[in-house]
Amino acid sequence: NNNNNNNKNSNGNSNGNNGGHNQQPQASNKQQRENNPRQQPNGPDAGDVKDQRLKQEAKKDIFQIANNAIGVLPGGDDQHNMRGVPDEAESDPWKRREQGTWRLIILYQHNFAILKQAVQGYERASDIMVPNMVIIDNSVNKDAVASPFLRGRVNEVIPTPKPLNFPQLHNFMATVALRERLDFYFWAHSDNYVLPAAEGRDLGKDAVDCLREQMRKFPNWGLVFFAYDHLAAFRTQAMVQVPWDPHVFQYGSECDVYGRLRQTKYDAKACKIHLSYDMKSVLDLSDTDSYEEVKAKLEADKNDKSQGRNQWREQSMSAAEQASRQRMKEASRQYLQAKWGQLSCKVRDLPCSKPWPYCPKCPPTLPDCYAKKMTFEQLDALHAKVHTAFDQDPDQPVALVT
């Protein structure tokens, strides 16, 4: 493991099956959390938001309403949320390089050069996101764990105990967040390059501000998109209660889990705070490039149709992995058809044929499994039951072959 802040010794999984849900948080994290009070989201409901638009426009950060989602467009002339502020001068504990309320997590499996470029993008866009970044290394050779580039930059690199498929990696993220007693965590794609809304702004601090506003307006928030889920914030409680279905592989898996989140009365909202680019290849980006020069190169790559969207990943896979992924996709489609009665990305309120925790219905032994105010100790117990159900299911997902 690599960790430059808290000198943790964690592998995210204490016994190989339960994801480490019985591990206790580090004392330093507890001490940090005492200085990071939870937000008490007692703000207006969704109906009041539109009425406040003119008031919001008077603020330095302007919130606009569109399609029942809130986007923040940072002001261009003020000095709010600019880069270069030392932690001791930052009054908001969530906006510091060293804090214990949230982490930015990236799931990594293929093409370290692409991952490195994504990390460099966050390093360029924010003072606080890379020091609070966690890389979950699911690669064959554990490239991220061994990387001198990441060592001393990110908060931690955590190797997976075995090859995990996409939804299993998401559940692993929730396990890490619960173990660390994080209120929420950001998830970023490993092949996404980010730019703040304007040169000099801190993307991480703008994200915190918009997320906090969503938390205030929507107390039952579970998920906030910043560029769909290329960058998203997940509420730890929601993701423990509504885990990703390990049988639903890759594309389609988000339809399943986001639909179940909404069905359990969690809100999914959106923030517009930055520019987001899916990378098709490693670009010639230099530290000496200006904001506009980097943006121009990213726009050119975005408009280049000569490369496929996921070509970089497919070229990094072995023939055995490509074959296993094809089997997983076929099994996933059959599973979704049986689970929801149809193949659709709109599954909310459809009858679900599987038991809990695959379907959004509490078992008789856990009538309050979707209660909105659970303690971390209650979540520990629920997390253990969820993963026991997954582990003891005789119908296991198709294994990922690497």
Side-chain angles (χ1 to χ4, degrees):
N1 296 2
N2 290 331
N3 177 18
N4 69 313
N5 287 340
N6 297 325
N7 193 31
K8 298 185 187 72
N9 180 22
S10 102
N11 63 9
N13 191 326
S14 62
N15 61 17
N17 288 325
N18 66 8
H21 51 255
N22 292 322
Q23 293 187 24
Q24 295 301 313
Q26 298 293 320
S28 58
N29 240 10
K30 269 187 182 176
Q31 292 167 0
Q32 289 171 352
R33 286 183 54 78
E34 289 174 358
N35 297 322
N36 298 339
R38 291 175 184 259
Q39 294 302 298
Q40 297 299 324
N42 296 321
D45 61 25
D48 296 326
V49 176
K50 191 172 183 180
D51 296 335
Q52 295 187 10
R53 181 171 182 176
L54 293 178
K55 293 180 181 179
Q56 294 290 347
E57 288 178 349
K59 294 184 176 182
K60 289 182 178 180
D61 282 351
I62 302 174
F63 288 82
Q64 294 185 343
I65 311 302
N67 298 325
N68 199 33
I70 299 178
V72 57
L73 302 177
D77 298 329
D78 64 88
Q79 296 302 305
H80 183 57
N81 283 353
M82 302 302 285
R83 296 195 59 185
V85 178
D87 276 8
E88 56 269 22
E90 177 55 70
S91 60
D92 188 337
W94 287 12
K95 296 180 180 179
R96 294 173 185 161
R97 295 164 183 82
E98 293 190 19
Q99 54 78 40
T101 299
W102 60 268
R103 291 287 181 262
L104 169 63
I105 304 179
I106 293 181
L107 306 174
Y108 166 67
Q109 184 164 351
H110 297 104
N111 200 319
F112 184 79
I114 290 283
L115 170 67
K116 181 178 178 181
Q117 189 166 255
V119 174
Q120 289 171 325
Y122 277 102
E123 198 166 43
R124 188 183 190 110
S126 173
D127 291 333
I128 64 173
M129 298 195 92
V130 174
N132 287 292
M133 182 178 286
V134 173
I135 308 293
I136 293 179
D137 189 350
N138 195 46
S139 66
V140 173
N141 297 319
K142 296 297 181 271
D143 308 320
V145 171
S147 167
F149 169 79
L150 294 176
R151 192 177 302 118
R153 266 187 170 85
V154 304
N155 182 274
E156 191 173 7
V157 179
I158 302 175
T160 55
K162 62 181 181 180
L164 301 178
N165 68 26
F166 184 68
Q168 288 170 336
L169 282 167
H170 270 278
N171 291 336
F172 192 82
M173 272 201 298
T175 294
V176 170
L178 178 61
R179 188 192 67 228
E180 293 300 310
R181 295 319 199 223
L182 304 178
D183 290 336
F184 62 90
Y185 55 96
F186 295 97
W187 169 47
H189 287 203
S190 64
D191 62 343
N192 190 252
Y193 198 98
V194 296
L195 285 176
E199 186 168 12
R201 293 198 67 87
D202 193 302
L203 167 58
K205 295 182 179 183
D206 283 340
V208 165
D209 274 350
C210 195
L211 177 60
R212 182 180 275 128
E213 184 74 357
Q214 295 284 35
M215 293 167 70
R216 187 181 72 83
K217 294 181 185 302
F218 304 101
N220 289 337
W221 81 280
L223 167 66
V224 173
F225 298 115
F226 290 87
Y228 186 51
D229 63 9
H230 297 157
L231 175 64
F234 291 100
R235 185 175 180 176
T236 302
Q237 171 180 287
M239 303 319 299
V240 171
Q241 292 176 313
V242 188
W244 290 62
D245 188 330
H247 293 270
V248 186
F249 174 74
Q250 204 73 14
Y251 303 108
S253 56
E254 77 278 12
C255 300
D256 179 89
V257 72
Y258 299 160
R260 288 188 289 119
L261 273 171
R262 293 181 174 97
Q263 198 159 335
T264 54
K265 308 304 180 185
Y266 276 109
D267 292 314
K269 299 299 175 180
C271 287
K272 176 65 175 175
I273 61 164
H274 75 296
L275 304 178
S276 171
Y277 297 89
D278 288 325
M279 294 179 289
K280 305 187 192 90
S281 62
V282 177
L283 303 178
D284 180 22
L285 302 177
S286 169
D287 291 341
T288 61
D289 288 342
S290 69
Y291 176 91
E292 292 300 329
E293 288 171 334
V294 172
K295 182 179 176 182
K297 291 180 180 180
L298 291 167
E299 289 288 342
D301 182 66
K302 176 181 176 181
N303 295 324
D304 179 7
K305 307 303 181 184
S306 65
Q307 299 183 80
R309 164 69 182 84
N310 294 313
Q311 187 174 337
W312 64 268
R313 183 175 61 200
E314 292 163 359
Q315 292 174 342
S316 302
M317 293 182 193
S318 67
E321 181 175 351
Q322 290 186 32
S324 78
R325 284 177 177 267
Q326 186 58 41
R327 291 193 297 272
M328 293 166 73
K329 289 177 183 178
E330 292 170 359
S332 179
R333 284 193 289 268
Q334 295 172 8
Y335 178 88
L336 277 173
Q337 177 73 49
K339 180 177 180 176
W340 295 106
Q342 63 185 60
L343 285 175
S344 170
C345 203
K346 297 180 179 180
V347 302
R348 182 180 181 180
D349 296 328
L350 290 177
C352 187
S353 67
K354 302 294 182 180
W356 176 91
Y358 302 99
C359 288
K361 47 191 177 186
C362 294
T365 56
L366 294 169
D368 299 319
C369 67
Y370 300 121
K372 296 300 180 285
K373 291 185 178 180
M374 281 193 173
T375 65
F376 279 120
E377 291 71 25
Q378 289 173 320
L379 289 173
D380 283 336
L382 182 64
H383 177 272
K385 293 180 184 299
V386 166
H387 285 267
T388 296
F390 284 161
D391 294 340
Q392 294 181 353
D393 188 342
D395 181 21
Q396 288 293 305
V398 175
L400 174 64
V401 177
T402 57

